[in-house]
Amino acid sequence: MTEKRKLRSQSWFGKMDKAGFIYRSWMKNQGLPDHVFDGRPVIGICNTWSELNPCNAHFRDIADRVKRGVWEAGGFPLEFPVMSTGEPIMRPTAMLFRNLVSMDVEESIRGNPIDGVVLLGGCDKTTPSLLMGAASCDIPAIFVSGGPMLNGKYRGTEIGSGTAVWQFSEEMRSGQMSPEEFFAAESCMSRSAGHCMTMGTASTMASMVEALGMGLPTNAAIPAVDSRRYALAHTAGRRIVEMVHEDLTISKIMTREAFENAVRVNGAIGGSTNAVIHLLAIAGRVGVEFSLEDWDNLGKEVPCLLNLMPSGQYLMEDFYYAGGLPVIIRELGDLIHKDALTVNGKTIGENVKDAECFNRDVIFPLENPFKPEGGIAVLHGNLCPNGAVLKPSAATPALMKHRGRAVVFENIEDFHTRIDDENLDVDESCILVLKNCGPKGYPGMPEVGNMPLPPKVLRKGITDMIRISDARMSGTAYGTVILHVSPEAAAGGNLALVQNGDFIELDVESRRLHLDVSEDELAQRRAQWTPELPPADRGYYKLYVERVLGADKGADFDFLVGKSGTVVTRDSH
Ligand code: FES
C-alpha cells in the first residue's frame, strides 16, 4: 500500500541519497525486504516489557499480536523498548521514574521514523508515562493495556492483589500463619500474568484509557491471559494503521470532554486517587485546561456503581464477565459526553450504546448505585492552600467532620521508629500527620499516606483514624486518608510547620482542612524552618527534585508541560 500523503517516516526511508541508503540498509539486517520501505505507515510498538516488572512480563506476546494486525492492515511494525517501572519492586518508589519514562517515550517516538504508535502499558506508572510521552508528540496512538491477573484464590476464598497483602502479613506477624502458608498465599494471589486485579491504580488507569477514548472498547477489564486480550491487541494493530491514514492524532481524542468523561468514570468505578495526579499530568501534556478543582466539581454527582475490591467484593475478572467498562459508561447516561471521539473512529456513545450487564451484583445501575458517593473530594484551607484530596467512599463517615490533636512524624523513618511505641501519646481521636513524603521530599511521592494505625489504637478494635500527608496512597487501600497536601512540606507548605499538639479541623462537606494555629505563630515557626530535602546532588534525582511540580499540577516536570510535536529539523547524517 502506498500512502498518498507523505508520512514522516518517508523523510527517513523515502530518501534516495546517502542518508536513505543508511536508514534502509541497517534496518535490512533484520531480514526486511525492499517493499516495506515503500511509504506504508511505520507503526512503533512502545513496549514496557521487563522481567523486573512482573505485571508487564507477558508483553512480548501482546506485541506479537499487535504486529500481526499491523502487517495485515498494510503497515510496517517496529517494536521498541522503553524503561519499565515495576511498582512492587522499584525503590524508592516507581512514581519517581514516571516522568523519566515519559521522556524516554517522547524522544523515542520523535527521534525515530514512526507515523503512529501502539502503547503497551499495565503496571501503575507505565500507563500514565506512555500517555504523557506520546501526547507530547501528538501523533496517532492507541493504547493496549496488559490486562489484570486472574482472581486470586486462597483456600476457597477470592483474594485481591494488595488488599490481601496487609491481612496475610499481619497474620504471619502474629503467628496465625506458618511460613509455608505464607509462601502458598503469595502464589495464590498472583497466579497468572497481568497487573493487580483489584481496582488499584493499574485497573483504574486502564479504565481511564478506555474512558479517555485512547483504548478500544473493553480494553480495561479483559484478563491478561484471556484470548480476547490478544484479539484486542491484534485489532489495535490493524486500527492504528487506519488512524495514521486518517491522521487521527492524540489531541483529537484527549479533549476537555474526554477528561471530563474520565473523571466521571473514575467516580463510578471507585477509582484510585492516583488517577488525579496522572490525569492532571496527561492533560498538561496535551494542552487541555484541566485542574484539581475539576475532580471535585465533576465527580460530585457521580455515585460508585462497581462492587470491586478494595471498597467492594469482586475482582477485575468478574468485572469483565459482567460486561466491563462499556456497561459503566452506558449507565452514566447524560453524565458522559457521548460525542467524544475514540480511537476506533466512533464516539464513546456509539461504542457503549448496546453494552449489556450480565451481573447486577458487580455493576449496579445508576438509579440504585453500589455507593452514593464515588468521586474525589478536593480540600482547601491553610494546611493545603493548593489543595489536598480525600476519597469519601473509602473514608469513615463519622470522621468526615472532626477536630483532633496532631501527632506528627517528620519523615517516614520517624514514623517507622515511633508508630509501634507503646509510649506514643496517641488515641483514636488524634490525627496522624506525616511530612516530607511529597514529590520533592521523598523524592517521588510514594504510596505511604495510608499509615498503619498505632497498635494500642488497633487493640481497641479501631480500624480508622484521620491521616494527613503529602504522600500518595495505593489504590488498593482505604480509610479517612488525606493525601497530596500541596504545597508539600519540603516545598515550604504549612504542613512543614505542624507540631505535636496542634489542633486540626476537617470538614469534608465544606471541603475544609484547617490548622488551628494563629498566623503570627505560623510566621514565627516559618522563620526557624529549614527544608528537609533528600540527598540528591547528581543525576536524575537532582533533576527531579529541582524541577518537579506540586501534586496539584500532576507532579510533572515544569519543562515537560506541553507538547513539541514530531518535527526534528536536523538529520543525523
Ligand atoms: Fe503492578 Fe499492581 S503492582 S499493577
Side-chain angles (χ1 to χ4, degrees):
M1 181 191 298
T2 302
E3 178 70 27
K4 291 201 183 90
R5 182 171 57 91
K6 192 175 172 196
L7 300 174
R8 76 184 290 266
S9 59
Q10 278 298 290
S11 70
W12 278 261
F13 298 143
K15 288 183 146 182
M16 287 311 293
D17 56 9
K18 182 189 83 178
F21 182 98
I22 293 169
Y23 290 134
R24 288 183 300 272
S25 175
W26 266 263
M27 292 298 282
K28 285 180 179 180
N29 80 351
Q30 301 178 80
L32 294 164
D34 288 344
H35 70 265
V36 302
F37 302 100
D38 64 359
R40 65 187 62 206
V42 176
I43 305 300
I45 301 173
C46 178
N47 200 342
T48 49
W49 168 85
S50 168
E51 288 179 343
L52 283 167
N53 186 355
C55 310
N56 296 13
H58 59 301
F59 277 24
R60 282 168 156 177
D61 290 341
I62 292 183
D64 281 344
R65 305 310 173 109
V66 173
K67 283 180 199 168
R68 287 186 194 181
V70 173
W71 284 122
E72 194 177 282
F76 172 16
L78 289 169
E79 182 183 350
F80 64 96
V82 290
M83 182 180 178
S84 191
T85 47
E87 195 71 25
I89 306 289
M90 281 197 92
R91 292 176 177 172
T93 170
M95 179 64 178
L96 177 64
F97 306 105
R98 185 200 64 180
N99 298 349
L100 180 60
V101 179
S102 80
M103 293 167 78
D104 189 352
V105 173
E106 177 178 346
E107 303 305 341
S108 294
I109 293 172
R110 186 177 298 117
N112 283 300
I114 291 172
D115 300 309
V117 65
V118 179
L119 306 167
L120 305 187
C123 194
D124 295 11
K125 306 303 172 292
T126 58
T127 300
S129 56
L130 266 54
L131 286 171
M132 289 160 70
S136 285
C137 294
D138 198 15
I139 61 167
I142 190 166
F143 204 102
V144 176
S145 298
M149 288 187 264
L150 295 175
N151 288 5
K153 304 267 184 188
Y154 179 68
R155 299 192 166 189
T157 59
E158 305 270 305
I159 57 170
S161 316
T163 36
V165 172
W166 325 123
Q167 178 202 335
F168 292 144
S169 47
E170 284 307 309
E171 289 181 8
M172 176 71 188
R173 239 170 51 150
S174 64
Q176 291 170 266
M177 228 179 173
S178 70
E180 291 74 24
E181 288 168 333
F182 198 59
F183 275 124
E186 291 168 5
S187 313
C188 293
M189 192 183 80
S190 307
R191 65 189 186 91
S192 82
H195 60 68
C196 294
M197 80 312 253
T198 44
M199 190 47 79
T201 305
S203 298
T204 299
M205 289 309 298
S207 301
M208 295 297 90
V209 162
E210 195 172 328
L212 284 166
M214 287 300 299
L216 293 171
T218 71
N219 170 72
I222 307 172
V225 295
D226 193 302
S227 54
R228 288 163 287 189
R229 172 66 56 193
Y230 293 92
L232 181 136
H234 185 135
T235 307
R238 285 180 60 92
R239 178 61 195 151
I240 188 65
V241 177
E242 294 170 359
M243 288 174 71
V244 170
H245 290 303
E246 294 163 10
D247 197 26
L248 183 51
T249 52
I250 289 176
S251 58
K252 293 173 185 163
I253 292 171
M254 288 207 282
T255 58
R256 165 84 195 177
E257 287 70 29
F259 282 93
E260 292 189 1
N261 284 347
V263 170
R264 288 184 162 139
V265 168
N266 188 69
I269 61 174
S272 163
T273 46
N274 287 321
V276 175
I277 291 193
H278 298 323
L279 259 61
L280 288 170
I282 296 164
R285 296 297 187 94
V286 86
V288 164
E289 287 292 325
F290 180 65
S291 72
L292 191 54
E293 304 312 318
D294 288 321
W295 277 95
D296 203 323
N297 297 336
L298 295 163
K300 244 180 211 149
E301 70 244 65
V302 183
C304 179
L305 307 181
L306 188 58
N307 180 7
L308 218 77
M309 290 185 204
S311 50
Q313 175 187 356
Y314 292 98
L315 293 164
M316 287 298 286
E317 200 183 331
D318 309 305
F319 182 27
Y320 180 55
Y321 303 149
L325 199 72
V327 178
I328 295 272
I329 298 173
R330 199 209 59 198
E331 281 293 342
L332 285 173
D334 291 340
L335 290 171
I336 288 292
H337 297 288
K338 294 193 186 67
D339 52 359
L341 190 59
T342 74
V343 284
N344 68 357
K346 296 181 183 166
T347 66
I348 200 158
E350 288 173 302
N351 284 343
V352 306
K353 69 180 185 338
D354 298 322
E356 207 177 329
C357 182
F358 303 110
N359 189 340
R360 279 297 180 198
D361 200 32
V362 177
I363 306 174
F364 283 57
L366 188 66
E367 56 280 8
N368 179 28
F370 175 55
K371 290 188 176 184
E373 203 172 355
I376 305 278
V378 177
L379 309 171
H380 284 285
N382 66 348
L383 195 46
C384 53
N386 295 350
V389 304
L390 173 135
K391 193 170 162 183
S393 62
T396 302
L399 292 173
M400 302 283 255
K401 184 165 183 170
H402 184 80
R403 177 180 162 89
R405 174 170 61 86
V407 176
V408 178
F409 302 94
E410 293 298 326
N411 52 45
I412 194 68
E413 289 77 22
D414 184 32
F415 174 78
H416 289 314
T417 304
R418 294 196 294 124
I419 190 65
D420 290 343
D421 186 343
E422 291 295 327
N423 295 319
L424 184 68
D425 184 13
V426 65
D427 63 39
E428 60 273 26
S429 70
C430 292
I431 295 179
L432 304 182
V433 177
L434 175 61
K435 305 177 184 177
N436 293 307
C437 292
K440 286 181 192 293
Y442 199 74
M445 205 183 179
E447 293 180 337
V448 296
N450 54 316
M451 293 163 256
L453 304 192
K456 64 184 191 188
V457 171
L458 283 173
R459 281 198 299 274
K460 294 187 205 169
I462 307 289
T463 55
D464 194 13
M465 289 172 67
I466 296 176
R467 288 156 275 178
I468 300 175
S469 74
D470 43 15
R472 296 179 301 118
M473 165 172 95
S474 164
T476 62
Y478 61 98
T480 312
V481 186
I482 295 160
L483 303 154
H484 312 180
V485 166
S486 184
E488 63 172 299
N494 278 350
L495 181 66
L497 309 179
V498 185
Q499 294 182 355
N500 279 315
D502 289 348
F503 275 84
I504 295 174
E505 293 166 2
L506 170 67
D507 184 351
V508 177
E509 199 181 337
S510 60
R511 302 299 196 245
R512 180 169 179 267
L513 183 65
H514 178 71
L515 175 63
D516 195 5
V517 174
S518 72
E519 284 302 316
D520 285 351
E521 171 66 18
L522 287 176
Q524 280 178 32
R525 291 183 191 179
R526 183 170 296 285
Q528 288 164 16
W529 171 80
T530 47
E532 180 182 314
L533 287 171
D537 53 2
R538 68 167 295 281
Y540 178 71
Y541 275 50
K542 181 172 163 61
L543 175 73
Y544 187 92
V545 170
E546 287 177 359
R547 305 302 292 270
V548 71
L549 295 169
D552 59 310
K553 298 278 185 273
D556 201 358
F557 288 150
D558 54 2
F559 60 90
L560 287 179
V561 175
K563 58 184 181 226
S564 311
T566 54
V567 175
V568 185
T569 51
R570 286 191 167 153
D571 210 334
S572 51
H573 302 292

